[in-house]
Amino acid sequence: MTDYITITDNPEFDCINISFNIEHDKPFGIGGRMGEVYEEAYMNGYNWDAFLNAYLAANAPELLDGLDADPEGSAYFATYPLTPEYRQKAEEFKQVIVDLIENDSKIFAFLETHGSEIEWD
């Protein structure tokens, strides 16, 4: 179930909102294990932002174009401009997050290889 991430249009601000609930049971549990494996990876919204930026840069750099993250201590929010092109990017970004959470071995493999390169909070 992927009820930990949503995409909504916000015509008032001409953007597409992505909300990743990092305190949902599944991402929260993964975040805790990430911190156990890699001490700097205390997975608040800022560190999810750092991790996702590094992961996208290595695996899907095209998704960084137009992405504007607004992490908080207990949440991760991001926006793309409200256009069909960016709607597709928002959906792809959502799928990246879902794939990582549902296949968390990808997270830990990336941490092992790139953890020291990530600009942790």
Side-chain angles (χ1 to χ4, degrees):
M1 190 97 140
T2 60
D3 55 348
Y4 48 80
I5 187 164
T6 59
I7 296 177
T8 55
D9 289 350
N10 187 337
E12 181 180 353
F13 293 101
D14 200 31
C15 65
I16 301 164
N17 293 324
I18 301 163
S19 177
F20 175 31
N21 180 359
I22 63 172
E23 292 188 336
H24 182 279
D25 290 345
K26 195 162 196 174
F28 189 78
I30 291 168
R33 291 191 348 258
M34 289 170 73
E36 291 171 5
V37 170
Y38 200 87
E39 186 176 344
E40 290 86 357
Y42 173 78
M43 297 313 288
N44 58 21
Y46 302 103
N47 276 341
W48 275 109
D49 182 47
F51 177 83
L52 290 168
N53 281 333
Y55 188 85
L56 290 176
N59 295 287
E62 68 282 1
L63 297 181
L64 291 169
D65 175 48
L67 180 66
D68 185 20
D70 183 20
E72 302 292 333
S74 62
Y76 175 86
F77 303 104
T79 62
Y80 279 106
L82 185 56
T83 69
E85 172 192 0
Y86 287 112
R87 161 59 71 184
Q88 180 63 35
K89 286 187 179 203
E91 293 292 342
E92 290 175 23
F93 183 43
K94 175 184 175 180
Q95 288 309 310
V96 166
I97 292 173
V98 168
D99 184 49
L100 288 168
I101 298 301
E102 299 303 317
N103 302 287
D104 62 4
S105 61
K106 292 180 180 184
I107 290 174
F108 295 102
F110 190 81
L111 266 182
E112 185 177 319
T113 306
H114 300 284
S116 64
E117 301 163 16
I118 296 173
E119 294 182 31
W120 300 105
D121 177 47

